Amino acid sequence: MTVYDVAERLPAVEVVRRRCKALAVLDAIVGGDYYTYDRAWGGDEAAAMRNGSGEEYDIVFTAGGGAFVRGVYHESSMFRYTDGGLWPGLLDGLPQEFEAMAAEPTFSGPGGTLDATFVLWRRAGDERWHAGEDIDFSPADDDEVDPDGSWLLDVLFDDIAEQYCTYAEEVHEVVLPRAAVGHVAAFLPLTGAVIRAINPAAAPGHVRVAAEKYGYPLEADR
């Protein structure tokens, strides 16, 4: 899998946005900190993933309805071959409206170059996601089948609930109820019953505050 495969499978921008909010809420419930969401990222909104082992991604949702994604897989040969520099072609064809994000200091390495092994973007009105034109993954793809780390975005595909349950079991060593996780993944209004089903030890008030901060819908308990 490469960024081109991911570009074909990622859903529309608004669907990705909702799923990012759902992931942040699920982490708030289980007490994780992989997934976060910021509704006040300058004039835009941004989702982030940090796994604590050097793998990460950021998704900026622009006020105009577009989105820019950059991610880093530090074990990738693409990262090692360039000594942390940007792999050729990742930004080829990048629209002008996303150039500021590619130069964003928060996303840059010590030399000021974008820190990334994969990049995607989608303008408002686009029918699909885009990546750099004709990226040559060799010789990195001689070392790995999935050389650029874009598989980090797998969790945003249509099986988000299953993906999150697997993550929770591997990272937090808990088995989560699939139906309750699916409720959140489907962006349905959050209730105390759903929170308790996922984590009986969670503080519903704390989770509700986080969900409201992320822009996730809430429903009063009945």
Side-chain angles (χ1 to χ4, degrees):
M1 177 179 289
T2 69
V3 70
Y4 294 130
D5 302 300
V6 173
E8 292 181 357
R9 294 189 61 187
L10 273 183
V13 170
E14 192 54 38
V15 176
V16 171
R17 188 201 304 262
R18 291 198 300 268
R19 291 178 178 176
C20 287
K21 291 180 179 182
L23 289 170
V25 168
L26 286 166
D27 254 17
I29 296 173
V30 303
D33 58 3
Y34 265 39
Y35 301 104
T36 59
Y37 197 90
D38 186 354
R39 294 174 71 196
W41 199 83
D44 303 315
E45 300 185 5
M49 185 285 291
R50 301 287 186 273
N51 72 359
S53 299
E55 278 64 66
E56 61 188 51
Y57 66 70
D58 293 274
I59 305 175
V60 179
F61 300 97
T62 70
F68 173 85
V69 183
R70 73 100 207 182
V72 180
Y73 171 38
H74 282 100
E75 296 301 317
S76 168
S77 297
M78 293 171 64
F79 194 77
R80 295 198 302 272
Y81 288 150
T82 58
D83 194 25
L86 191 65
W87 186 264
L90 292 191
L91 297 179
D92 287 358
L94 182 74
Q96 185 176 2
E97 66 187 87
F98 298 122
E99 289 179 355
M101 295 169 199
E104 166 60 42
T106 305
F107 303 153
S108 301
T113 301
L114 179 66
D115 197 9
T117 55
F118 62 90
V119 177
L120 297 113
W121 60 86
R122 184 166 174 166
R123 293 169 294 188
D126 279 355
E127 295 183 355
R128 63 182 180 87
W129 290 85
H130 302 272
E133 301 168 359
D134 299 319
I135 300 170
D136 182 359
F137 296 98
S138 61
D141 54 4
D142 291 334
D143 300 332
E144 295 192 57
V145 175
D146 308 312
D148 62 2
S150 55
W151 48 264
L152 291 168
L153 298 172
D154 284 5
V155 71
L156 297 171
F157 296 162
D158 291 342
D159 56 349
I160 173 176
E162 191 66 35
Q163 291 269 8
Y164 190 85
C165 285
T166 299
Y167 146 78
E169 188 168 357
E170 292 177 350
V171 175
H172 299 290
E173 299 182 342
V174 295
V175 177
L176 301 181
R178 176 65 173 74
V181 172
H183 179 102
V184 179
F187 212 64
L188 299 175
L190 188 65
T191 67
V194 169
I195 295 171
R196 289 189 294 272
I198 295 173
N199 182 7
H206 171 77
V207 174
R208 286 175 179 276
V209 169
E212 186 172 16
K213 176 182 176 183
Y214 302 146
Y216 187 96
L218 302 174
E219 181 178 288
D221 283 334
R222 298 179 182 179

